[in-house]
């Protein structure tokens, strides 16, 4: 056998579905096998994938044994002369395997081959070519100097920024997302080192290949898409910690003496700097905007009070004590309203600020109307203060967006224009899929992907650039039937900034994509439109948990006669208040729905220990609960199962 393709899967079944379609086409002209090692995915991969890909050899692990160990497990079963280690969140062009094998024929000294990679928006991924992590190289990367000088031979050496991405080069490190290596070389240098659980295993293997006298190459004559769907976000404190741990292990294994000491000194200095910056950035993201908004709101109220009392109603005296208490309270109300209406969710739209301001104004003015006459000051100060707050917060956000401190959501994102590049049959399948996923309104129309038009369409594929501009398209869904994966990848590379792409293999049951290398990939599939995943719904659920907990504490004199196991009931109350539990949650555990805390009652309105339905019925109940969730859903289930809240 010529080639064995090895893929490690963990909870990305729809990405793997699209990946396997592309791999099978890329291997259609050669003798090849595909081996998938699954690290105990809980997203239904085991039930979903084998029937779709009967020729694929699946290995189902009972635990997550790590990337390196799972690859080695699959390698033990591999029969190919060449091994391709591949990530599941990738799409291959049809000719990539042939081109890579030809490269090995022409370069007998090649020990390993990496590939040019782009993300789902067509942007080149810098990790396609890398150098070994020397002390200074790692320091420059972790300290951020690489970003400041991305083309420097010195500061950007980690990603070899000085080497053109369009040319083949000798490199040090092969990216683990796509590594083709002759089996005889793996037999000589060894497999992945299982000490590396995540990150660093590709660096270690690349180092051993070079140390054995072979060369590693970056191959630019073909391009794959890598969606970057990993769970540890790059730039986060956890990523920095894990990266440092892997690099430290690499140093201890391959360096010694003074060199190792220097390396560890630099890497520790860099990790401290990066950790500090990451912590500050994380703090700003969590509380930065609310703190700045609080300052703006307080300042606006005081400025309005000053203007009002000096130029509009100069004869009016306001109690300083009332103002000192009222302004912070109204500011807190404003911030809470903003939080629960989604102002501090990821991404920003002006409509969010408008909605938050209107809700806050309504609550503040209603609260003011309920105050005793003796502590009221002026409704005019509140109205003008809220209006000024809105203006200043809007200006601040516009500046932050301009300076790239704040992400923005594309205009009319919810009604974004999506076009589908597909034949008429596949277009119907894609629109049906989106209909079932709850997103039918997004599809504007179809672009014919063949040479001849076979049905109603907006135009042909060669008209795509002008059609995108004409219809203000934000998103394109590509179907490979009629277009090859290679043609699609080439089109994606030419898309302008702000045009996002998704992918669908003809006959598959999903659509996958990713807007950038910094964002986890997303997908469209039947049943993934869960209301419970909406950030606003999750906050409202938590707010309901707290309010009911407080209500049950206040109502103790009555509750004591309504609950049989009062001690157990109030243990649940305090568990919910301290976020250890939620009042209502899932009946079937584990499942693939958005995560919730341990429930007091399940989606059946019963505690888990009283559920006697088959697992299939419990899963269906959970699906209905997750899909149609609202606060009223929880209230109904709690009212039905009130007597079981003491379990």
């Amino acid at each position: 056998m010529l080639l064995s393709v090895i893929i490690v899967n963990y909870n990305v079944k729809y990405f793997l579905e699209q990946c396997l379609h592309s791999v099978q086409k890329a291997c259609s002209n050669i003798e090849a096998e595909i081996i998938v090692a699954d690290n105990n995915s809980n997203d239904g991969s085991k039930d979903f994938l084998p029937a779709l890909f009967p020729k694929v050899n699946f290995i189902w692990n009972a635990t997550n044994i790590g990337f390196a160990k799972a690859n080695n497990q699959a390698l033990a079963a591999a029969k190919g002369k060449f091994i391709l280690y591949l990530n599941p969140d990738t799409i291959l062009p049809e000719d990539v395997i042939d081109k890579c094998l030809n490269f090995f024929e022409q370069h007998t000294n090649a020990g390993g081959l990496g590939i040019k990679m782009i993300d789902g928006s067509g942007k080149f991924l810098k990790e396609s070519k890398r150098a070994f992590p020397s002390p200074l190289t790692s320091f420059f990367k972790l300290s951020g100097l690489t970003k400041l000088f991305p083309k420097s031979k010195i500061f950007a050496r980690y990603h070899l920024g000085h080497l053109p991405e369009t040319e083949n080069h000798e490199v040090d490190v092969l990216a683990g997302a796509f590594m083709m290596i002759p089996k005889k070389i793996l037999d000589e240098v060894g497999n992945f080192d299982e000490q590396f659980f995540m990150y660093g295993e590709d660096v270690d293997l690349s180092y051993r290949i070079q140390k054995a006298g072979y060369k590693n190459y970056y191959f630019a004559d073909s391009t794959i898409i890598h969606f970057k769907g990993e769970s540890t976000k790059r730039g986060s404190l956890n990523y920095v910690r894990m990266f440092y741990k892997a690099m430290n292990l690499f140093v201890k294994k391959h360096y010694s003496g003074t060199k190792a000491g220097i390396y560890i000194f630099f890497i520790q200095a860099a990790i401290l700097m990066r950790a500090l910056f990451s912590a500050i950035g994380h703090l700003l993201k969590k509380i930065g905007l609310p703190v700045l908004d609080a300052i703006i709101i307080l300042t606006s109220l005081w400025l309005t009070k000053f203007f009002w009392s000096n130029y509009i109603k100069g004869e009016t005296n306001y109690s300083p004590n009332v103002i000192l208490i009222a302004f912070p309270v109204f500011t807190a109300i404003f911030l809470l309203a903003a939080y629960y209406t989604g102002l501090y969710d990821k991404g920003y739209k002006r409509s969010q600020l408008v909605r938050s301001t209107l809700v806050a104004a309504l609550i503040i003015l209603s609260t003011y109307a309920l105050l005793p006459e003796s502590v009221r000051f002026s409704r005019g100060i509140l109205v003008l203060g809220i209006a000024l707050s809105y203006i200043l917060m809007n200006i601040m956000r516009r500046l932050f967006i301009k300076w790239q401190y704040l992400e923005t959501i594309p205009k009319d994102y919810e009604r974004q224009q999506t076009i589908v590049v597909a034949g008429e049959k596949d277009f119907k399948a894609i629109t049906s899929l989106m209909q079932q996923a709850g997103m039918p309104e997004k599809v504007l129309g179809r672009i014919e992907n063949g040479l001849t038009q076979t049905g109603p369409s907006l135009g042909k594929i060669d008209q795509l650039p002008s059609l995108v501009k004409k219809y203000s398209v934000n998103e394109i869904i590509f179907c490979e039937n009629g277009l090859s994966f290679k043609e699609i990848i080439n089109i994606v590379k030419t898309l302008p900034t702000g045009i996002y792409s998704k992918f669908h293999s003809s006959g598959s049951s999903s659509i996958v994509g990713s807007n950038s290398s910094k964002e986890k990939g997303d997908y469209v599939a039947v049943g993934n439109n869960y209301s419970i995943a909406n950030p606003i719904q999750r906050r409202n659920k938590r707010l309901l948990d707290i309010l009911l907990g407080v209500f049950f504490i206040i109502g103790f004199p009555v509750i004591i006669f309504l609950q049989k196991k009062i001690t157990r009931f109030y243990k649940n109350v305090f568990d919910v208040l301290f976020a250890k539990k939620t009042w209502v949650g899932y009946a079937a555990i584990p499942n693939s729905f958005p995560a919730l805390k341990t429930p007091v009652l399940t989606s059946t309105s019963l505690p888990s220990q009283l559920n006697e339905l088959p697992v299939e019925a419990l899963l269906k109940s959970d699906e209905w609960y997750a899909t149609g969730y609202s606060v009223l859903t929880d209230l109904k289930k709690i009212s039905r199962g009130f007597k079981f809240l003491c379990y």
Side-chain angles (χ1 to χ4, degrees):
M1 185 167 294
L2 185 58
L3 177 71
S4 296
V5 181
I6 294 175
I7 303 172
V8 176
N9 177 54
Y10 183 66
N11 288 336
V12 286
K13 68 177 181 181
Y14 293 119
F15 284 92
L16 180 54
E17 178 191 20
Q18 303 300 324
C19 174
L20 289 173
H21 276 291
S22 72
V23 171
Q24 287 183 334
K25 291 203 168 187
C27 295
S28 60
N29 296 324
I30 63 172
E31 187 183 10
E33 63 178 353
I34 304 170
I35 304 172
V36 173
D38 182 272
N39 270 338
N40 195 32
S41 296
N42 58 16
D43 64 346
S45 291
K46 190 173 183 178
D47 297 325
F48 178 72
L49 292 166
L52 297 176
F53 302 99
K55 294 183 180 180
V56 174
N57 178 14
F58 289 95
I59 300 171
W60 304 103
N61 291 314
T63 59
N64 184 356
I65 61 176
F67 179 79
K69 193 170 184 178
N71 272 304
N72 291 346
Q73 183 184 42
L75 182 64
K79 303 170 185 174
K81 290 175 59 180
F82 289 85
I83 305 297
L84 173 59
Y85 294 111
L86 187 68
N87 272 21
D89 54 346
T90 55
I91 288 181
L92 308 187
E94 288 78 359
D95 61 353
V96 65
I97 302 297
D98 289 333
K99 284 186 173 181
C100 289
L101 292 174
N102 288 337
F103 185 90
F104 275 105
E105 287 183 9
Q106 297 167 14
H107 298 78
T108 55
N109 63 346
L113 191 66
I115 195 79
K116 180 180 179 181
M117 299 186 293
I118 59 173
D119 65 20
S121 65
K123 184 180 178 182
F124 175 70
L125 294 175
K126 295 182 293 183
E127 55 267 37
S128 300
K129 47 184 177 67
R130 286 183 290 167
F132 287 127
S134 68
L136 280 176
T137 298
S138 298
F139 176 78
F140 293 150
K141 180 191 184 294
L142 289 173
S143 64
L145 287 170
T146 298
K147 281 189 176 182
L148 293 176
F149 306 100
K151 299 293 183 182
S152 169
K153 189 174 182 178
I154 298 173
F155 295 118
R157 177 161 176 75
Y158 184 81
H159 288 127
L160 301 172
H162 62 290
L163 297 179
E165 63 189 60
T166 55
E167 299 176 8
N168 298 337
H169 299 287
E170 286 185 34
V171 295
D172 291 332
V173 178
L174 305 170
F178 183 106
M179 300 175 70
M180 186 177 285
I181 306 170
K183 178 65 161 53
K184 64 179 182 180
I185 292 180
L186 288 171
D187 291 338
E188 179 182 344
V189 305
N191 308 336
F192 284 116
D193 186 338
E194 296 178 9
Q195 294 181 83
F196 297 89
F197 185 85
M198 188 175 185
Y199 303 122
E201 61 283 306
D202 50 358
V203 180
D204 173 70
L205 181 55
S206 299
Y207 184 87
R208 285 186 277 125
I209 290 173
Q210 273 200 9
K211 195 173 181 182
Y214 302 100
K215 293 183 178 181
N216 295 320
Y217 286 93
Y218 161 75
F219 186 58
D221 292 342
S222 187
T223 304
I224 72 166
I225 291 178
H226 183 205
F227 291 112
K228 310 282 288 178
E230 65 216 319
S231 59
T232 303
K233 189 174 180 180
R234 293 182 180 273
S236 70
L237 190 58
N238 191 38
Y239 164 72
V240 175
R241 180 185 62 81
M242 294 181 72
F243 179 86
Y244 164 68
K245 184 178 179 180
M247 292 304 99
N248 201 31
L249 178 59
F250 177 82
V251 169
K252 290 179 178 179
K253 180 176 179 179
H254 295 294
Y255 299 149
S256 61
T258 304
K259 191 174 184 180
I262 294 172
Y263 182 101
I264 292 173
F265 170 79
F266 274 110
I267 204 74
Q268 286 180 339
I271 199 72
L272 287 172
M273 290 174 58
R274 190 64 174 270
L276 178 62
F277 292 150
S278 181
I280 292 172
H282 184 72
L283 184 65
L284 287 175
K285 285 182 179 179
K286 287 291 184 183
I287 68 168
L289 273 179
V291 168
L292 291 174
D293 285 345
I295 293 171
I296 287 175
I297 297 165
L298 280 171
T299 302
S300 298
L301 290 172
W302 280 102
L303 286 175
T304 305
K305 183 258 180 188
F306 175 81
F307 178 80
W308 189 268
S309 60
N310 284 279
Y311 299 102
I312 297 179
K313 290 192 174 182
E315 74 283 357
T316 306
N317 291 319
Y318 303 106
S319 169
N321 292 331
V322 170
I323 296 296
L324 285 172
I325 296 173
F327 282 4
V329 169
F330 288 140
T331 297
I333 292 173
F334 197 123
L335 293 176
L336 283 172
Y339 175 75
Y340 280 102
T341 51
L343 182 60
Y344 301 117
D345 288 345
K346 183 180 177 182
Y348 168 71
K349 287 194 307 178
R350 188 171 63 180
S351 60
Q352 292 175 327
L353 181 58
V354 172
R355 181 174 64 246
S356 297
T357 304
L358 290 175
V359 171
L362 180 63
I363 296 173
I364 289 172
L365 292 173
S366 299
T367 303
Y368 176 83
L370 296 174
L371 294 175
E373 189 68 34
S374 58
V375 296
R376 294 184 190 177
F377 42 95
S378 173
R379 189 177 287 105
I381 291 177
L382 289 178
V383 172
L384 290 178
I386 292 169
L388 181 59
S389 297
Y390 167 79
I391 293 170
L392 294 178
M393 286 192 292
N394 189 40
I395 291 172
M396 179 188 71
R397 281 163 170 77
R398 285 180 176 274
L399 290 174
F400 279 11
I401 290 169
K402 183 177 180 180
W403 297 333
Q404 297 184 341
Y405 292 153
L406 182 65
E407 295 178 13
T408 182
I409 298 175
K411 187 178 181 180
D412 297 327
Y413 176 77
E414 291 84 356
R415 300 184 301 277
Q416 69 178 11
Q417 300 283 16
T418 297
I419 57 175
V420 179
V421 180
E424 188 173 14
K425 181 180 178 181
D426 287 302
F427 175 71
K428 290 179 180 178
I430 290 172
T431 51
S432 174
L433 180 59
M434 296 187 75
Q435 176 82 32
Q436 294 177 71
M439 297 181 290
E441 73 285 350
K442 288 190 174 185
V443 180
L444 179 67
R446 179 177 73 91
I447 303 296
E448 182 62 55
N449 61 355
L451 296 176
T452 58
Q453 190 162 320
T454 59
S457 69
L458 300 174
K460 297 183 180 179
I461 188 65
D462 56 358
Q463 299 172 294
L464 186 59
S466 60
L467 292 170
V468 164
K469 185 175 181 181
K470 178 180 178 180
Y471 293 107
S472 300
V473 170
N474 309 97
E475 181 181 73
I476 303 173
I477 298 175
F478 291 96
C479 179
E480 52 79 33
N481 190 22
L483 281 178
S484 66
F485 285 114
K486 179 181 178 180
E487 289 172 320
I488 293 172
I489 291 170
N490 287 336
I491 293 171
V492 170
K493 288 192 289 187
T494 66
L495 292 178
T497 303
I499 306 297
Y500 307 123
S501 53
K502 286 186 170 67
F503 305 85
H504 171 79
S505 298
S506 184
S508 68
S509 58
S510 61
I511 304 167
V512 302
S514 175
N515 293 346
S516 78
S517 62
K518 297 179 180 179
E519 299 296 330
K520 186 177 180 180
D522 61 349
Y523 63 87
V524 176
V526 177
N528 77 314
N529 189 36
Y530 299 124
S531 176
I532 195 92
N534 185 297
I536 294 178
Q537 294 284 23
R538 295 183 76 85
R539 279 196 297 273
N540 289 339
K541 180 176 177 61
R542 177 60 186 150
L543 180 62
L544 178 67
D545 281 351
I546 294 171
L547 291 177
L548 283 177
V550 172
F551 175 78
F552 289 146
I553 290 174
I554 295 173
F556 175 77
V558 176
I559 297 290
I560 194 171
F561 296 104
L562 300 177
Q563 290 291 341
K564 295 180 180 179
K565 303 175 183 177
I566 196 67
T567 303
R568 180 65 184 175
F569 175 83
Y570 277 102
K571 182 182 185 304
N572 286 336
V573 168
F574 285 103
D575 282 346
V576 170
L577 286 174
F578 288 104
K580 294 180 180 179
K581 291 184 178 180
T582 183
W583 286 119
V584 183
Y586 300 131
I589 303 295
N591 56 43
S592 58
F593 306 115
L596 294 175
K597 299 289 185 182
T598 302
V600 177
L601 298 178
T602 67
S603 60
T604 62
S605 299
L606 294 171
S608 57
Q609 55 266 49
L610 296 184
N611 278 323
E612 298 179 352
L613 294 171
V615 174
E616 293 79 8
L618 295 178
L619 284 170
K620 180 57 68 175
S621 175
D622 288 345
E623 183 180 354
W624 290 335
Y625 177 72
T627 303
Y629 177 79
S630 71
V631 168
L632 287 177
T633 306
D634 276 1
L635 286 173
K636 289 177 182 178
K637 292 185 181 298
I638 290 168
S639 65
R640 290 173 191 161
F642 180 77
K643 65 180 180 180
F644 301 114
L645 293 178
C646 58
Y647 276 75

